[in-house]
Amino acid sequence: MEEKTKHKVVRYLFVCSLVLLVAVVIGIRLSERPAPQTPAKIVDGPDYLTAMQPQKSWTTVPVVGCESGGQAENLPAPHGAPKSLLIEAKAAQKLAYYETDENFGVLAPRGWFCFGTYGSNGNSLFVSPEPINSSILFSDKQKGFAGPLVQLSHSLGDTSGRFEVARTIARVFPAHQDFVSHVVSEGIEDATSFPSGPYPKDQLTYKDNEVVEYQTPALTDGLGTHSYLLKGDRPISGVVMLLIGEDTDVLQLSVRLPPNQTDLTANIIQQIEKEAASQPKSTPAPDIASQPPLQEVKAEESVQVSALKLYADYQRNELAADNLYKGKLLSVQGSVDGIRKDFLGEPYLLLATPNEFMDVHANLVNDAEQPAAALAKGDSVTVLCRGGGMVLGSPMLLNCSLTK
């Protein structure tokens, strides 16, 4: 009896040991299995601006006024109050808002230098860590910026800026190619001046048919170098936007920051996108293709007016003068007070008025540059132009050709 009991105990202990051994082996195997992982988020396309964005809040940033210069005179820096923006709090501590008297300002690192330019074709704002020599900016010596820079440029589609607008549309806005076709039909610039399709190495992210973010890789030509930024060892990021209202304009932001500040790029781009989107939309742009090229309109159909009367009418009543002249075809006679080029190298004439600081500005089409080069101060001329209203006290004439 005792022997049977002993065998039962041994069998029981053997089974328990076997169960324990199996449990230990299973536990070891389970511990060796990798823990389940959360799948990585895939960003659709190269939208580096929207991937994994930090939390934003309403934060105040300082405003820096920038002096600007152009065809008429240098404009003093405006004085603006601090600006409240929806932005990453950490980034806001490193950024300031730079502005001139134009519609748009731009974020850039604090403590940088700024200067704006303006002309009949549009305006630009430059923000740089180094002082900007404005006299060089307006001369042929200025080839571009090799280092860090934030540049915001607004090209006007109803003036000589239309060529720049058309070049941009040809590159990245296929839904608006009618604008390019019309500009080419003027015959002022050959179709080869408006290459079609994106730059080969640019990374593009379309927000819609009128907004595209881009990145131009280092040491590469692209939208980023379609500015005053020279290609270098760091990429250029930015955004290009069509502003469609009564006219079709282009707003382009180009950003290259030092390596230790590249994390600010997304905030800079997103802010200008929000500002552009908040601009009130005016009436739809007119059908530009239905308007005949300027050279096809006969001179006898134009309004005959002297530069002196044009100036006097605008000084008397700007609203009434706009009703008479703005947007109309004008044949303007006057005396040459100067032959100049604006900051983008486009030629214009100054026609004398009684006020030596407020001439009539006649912005020339490209094929008028050669005959204008033969003029001298005091010569009598007649120009065929579109009335452009008044800017800073000076009547503006657009798309002018010399008739005699």
Side-chain angles (χ1 to χ4, degrees):
M1 192 71 179
E2 291 181 3
E3 189 68 23
K4 287 183 178 181
T5 303
K6 183 184 293 186
H7 285 299
K8 286 182 180 180
V9 171
V10 170
R11 284 198 300 269
Y12 174 78
L13 290 176
F14 175 77
V15 171
C16 289
S17 300
L18 186 61
V19 171
L20 181 60
L21 179 61
V22 170
V24 169
V25 170
I26 292 174
I28 292 173
R29 290 292 179 88
L30 288 174
S31 66
E32 290 176 347
R33 292 179 61 183
Q37 296 180 355
T38 303
K41 182 179 179 181
I42 299 174
V43 180
D44 184 16
D47 191 356
Y48 54 91
L49 298 179
T50 56
M52 301 180 66
Q53 293 179 359
Q55 189 67 34
K56 296 181 179 181
S57 59
W58 286 101
T59 310
T60 300
V61 299
V63 171
V64 179
C66 307
E67 183 184 2
S68 56
Q71 294 175 346
E73 59 184 343
N74 276 16
L75 303 177
H79 298 284
K83 201 172 183 72
S84 182
L85 304 176
L86 184 60
I87 192 174
E88 300 167 26
K90 184 178 179 180
Q93 297 173 4
K94 304 175 184 178
L95 292 167
Y97 188 85
Y98 296 81
E99 63 179 6
T100 63
D101 282 326
E102 301 298 337
N103 290 342
F104 297 99
V106 69
L107 287 174
R110 293 191 188 188
W112 283 23
F113 301 86
C114 61
F115 189 80
T117 57
Y118 68 91
S120 63
N121 51 2
N123 54 78
S124 292
L125 175 56
F126 303 91
V127 190
S128 167
E130 303 294 332
I132 299 172
N133 187 333
S134 59
S135 62
I136 294 178
L137 195 59
F138 287 101
S139 75
D140 294 336
K141 296 179 182 178
Q142 180 65 36
K143 303 302 181 184
F145 294 84
L149 184 78
V150 176
Q151 177 183 340
L152 180 65
S153 292
H154 184 186
S155 299
L156 304 178
D158 64 335
T159 69
S160 55
R162 68 189 183 280
F163 299 105
E164 190 64 31
V165 173
R167 270 185 277 275
T168 303
I169 289 175
R171 285 289 188 186
V172 291
F173 296 119
H176 299 274
Q177 292 300 313
D178 285 350
F179 187 99
V180 183
S181 299
H182 176 73
V183 172
V184 171
S185 74
E186 295 178 8
I188 298 172
E189 291 198 22
D190 189 81
T192 57
S193 299
F194 307 95
S196 180
Y199 288 92
K201 296 186 178 180
D202 273 356
Q203 301 173 25
L204 303 179
T205 301
Y206 282 89
K207 299 299 184 179
D208 54 41
N209 285 338
E210 285 83 42
V211 179
V212 58
E213 293 171 356
Y214 70 87
Q215 187 174 75
T216 299
L219 302 173
T220 304
D221 287 317
L223 283 172
T225 56
H226 193 70
S227 67
Y228 271 76
L229 279 158
L230 302 175
K231 59 185 177 183
D233 58 0
R234 290 193 303 280
I236 302 168
S237 302
V239 61
V240 183
M241 293 169 279
L242 278 185
L243 308 179
I244 299 179
E246 292 182 358
D247 305 302
T248 299
D249 298 347
V250 162
L251 190 66
Q252 176 168 342
L253 174 68
S254 304
V255 181
R256 181 167 59 203
L257 300 182
N260 63 339
Q261 294 181 312
T262 54
D263 59 316
L264 303 176
T265 301
N267 291 278
I268 295 171
I269 294 173
Q270 290 162 1
Q271 180 58 32
I272 193 61
E273 288 178 349
K274 286 185 283 189
E275 288 192 26
S278 68
Q279 291 290 303
K281 296 285 186 181
S282 50
T283 56
D287 183 6
I288 189 170
S290 67
Q291 302 177 12
L294 188 59
Q295 65 267 33
E296 294 180 7
V297 183
K298 297 180 180 178
E300 56 264 30
E301 297 174 352
S302 62
V303 176
Q304 307 285 321
V305 64
S306 70
L308 294 176
K309 177 170 172 50
L310 185 68
Y311 174 80
D313 286 348
Y314 267 103
Q315 294 303 310
R316 187 179 301 113
N317 187 323
E318 182 179 358
L319 182 60
D322 271 350
N323 290 335
L324 285 173
Y325 305 121
K326 190 172 182 180
K328 307 288 180 60
L329 184 66
L330 307 179
S331 180
V332 183
Q333 309 85 41
S335 176
V336 175
D337 195 39
I339 306 102
R340 309 276 175 77
K341 284 189 174 184
D342 64 18
F343 70 99
L344 289 180
E346 298 192 9
Y348 65 95
L349 293 181
L350 298 175
L351 303 181
T353 71
N355 187 332
E356 62 177 315
F357 300 107
M358 294 183 180
D359 291 317
V360 173
H361 287 243
N363 299 285
L364 302 175
V365 295
N366 288 4
D367 57 359
E369 183 172 357
Q370 186 172 353
L375 295 174
K377 186 172 182 178
D379 286 351
S380 294
V381 296
T382 300
V383 289
L384 186 64
C385 315
R386 293 283 180 193
M390 184 170 70
V391 176
L392 299 173
S394 294
M396 305 297 293
L397 301 174
L398 311 174
N399 307 334
C400 298
S401 57
L402 291 168
T403 60
K404 69 173 185 178

